[in-house]
Structures are given as C-alpha cells and as structure tokens.
Amino acid sequence: MLKLSRKTLLALEAVIDIAFNARPEPVQAKEITARQGVPQRYLEQVMQQLVRAGILKGVRGPRGGYRLARERRRISVGDVVRVAESIEDDEEKHVPRSELGQRIVAPFVATLQDELMTRLDSVSIEDLCQRARHAGVDAGIDTSADFTI
C-alpha cells in the first residue's frame, strides 16, 4: 500500500487546521499542536517549508502565527504534498538495481504516483474544509462573546 509520510500527513493537517480555524488573527503553532497532538518543534520544521513554498504566511510577534498565503480554494492537496515530500527525510530512496525493477516496476510506480498527484491536485483545501464542516468537526474556536453591553 502506498503511504504518505508522517510529515506529509502533518503538513496536510496543519494547513487544513489553519484554513478551518481561520479568523482575523493568525493561528498559533501551539494551538495547532494542541489540536493535532504533535510536538511543536516537529511542527515548526514543516511550517517553515510551507512558508518558503508560499502556501502559508508566517506572522511574527506576540500574537503571531500562521495564515494561508492564498485563498484556500487556490491551494490543492497536491501543493501541500509536494512541499512536505520535498523535506529531506532519513528514509533512503529505493532505486531498483535489476533490469526488471528499472524497466518495469519503477515506471509502473511512477505512473501510479503521477495518477495520485493528479487526483490530489484536483482536491482543494476548501474541499476538505467543507468535508470537515459536513462531518461536524469542531473548529475549536470559542464563538462566545467576551464582553457584555
């Protein structure tokens, strides 16, 4: 079974979390780590790659955090996966050594990966936010007023 790496899944969850919990202030990394249950140090590596790739904007300061750099309907799942998969990993890339592996298996797997990326490019972050809303996922935003008149 083809699997996405842990970093890729984390990147997707983080981008969707930011899009789903969008509000006037940026979403702080500590909020994302609390909702996703991952160490902040691990998340920060992924977030910086997403900022460099133009998917997220980093906002500095005491109320800083992250925002989407583009509209969520203009960011595809494929965009996020490409960035996350480009992060150097300790896993060694397997290169086929046999003629069968080079001429048959590797091209077949490459075709599968191309088909998968085409499918991922057809799904936007907005699409996944809508799925989350329909599934009843809690946005984690306190909508109660913090003042009285």
Side-chain angles (χ1 to χ4, degrees):
M1 175 190 289
L2 292 174
K3 291 184 179 182
L4 296 176
S5 71
R6 184 172 175 210
K7 283 185 181 178
T8 300
L9 294 174
L10 175 61
L12 275 172
E13 287 182 42
V15 171
I16 295 165
D17 186 290
I18 290 167
F20 193 65
N21 292 299
R23 55 190 185 274
E25 326 65 65
V27 178
Q28 295 184 340
K30 67 181 177 183
E31 296 169 347
I32 297 169
T33 58
R35 285 190 288 267
Q36 306 304 331
V38 295
Q40 190 167 344
R41 183 182 70 232
Y42 188 69
L43 177 70
E44 288 291 340
Q45 292 176 349
V46 174
M47 301 301 266
Q48 290 307 311
Q49 280 301 116
L50 292 165
V51 168
R52 280 187 220 114
I55 291 174
L56 297 178
K57 278 186 195 176
V59 179
R60 296 179 184 259
R63 297 194 139 248
Y66 297 94
R67 291 191 166 124
L68 296 180
R70 308 187 297 261
E71 296 174 48
R72 53 190 184 185
R73 66 186 173 90
R74 298 194 185 278
I75 301 171
S76 76
V77 173
D79 294 336
V80 178
V81 168
R82 279 184 194 86
V83 170
E85 290 294 317
S86 73
I87 298 171
E88 298 224 8
D89 212 345
D90 293 337
E91 290 183 43
E92 184 179 311
K93 300 291 182 195
H94 179 71
V95 178
R97 296 186 181 158
S98 70
E99 182 180 14
L100 187 63
Q102 291 173 359
R103 296 180 65 189
I104 304 302
V105 176
F108 175 70
V109 170
T111 300
L112 287 176
Q113 288 175 329
D114 290 344
E115 290 172 7
L116 175 61
M117 290 311 299
T118 298
R119 175 73 175 108
L120 294 176
D121 286 336
S122 73
V123 179
S124 72
I125 297 301
E126 173 65 26
D127 296 333
L128 295 182
C129 285
Q130 287 178 5
R131 283 186 188 189
R133 258 187 243 101
H134 286 100
V137 174
D138 180 19
I141 299 172
D142 182 16
T143 57
S144 63
D146 61 349
F147 64 93
T148 58
I149 298 177

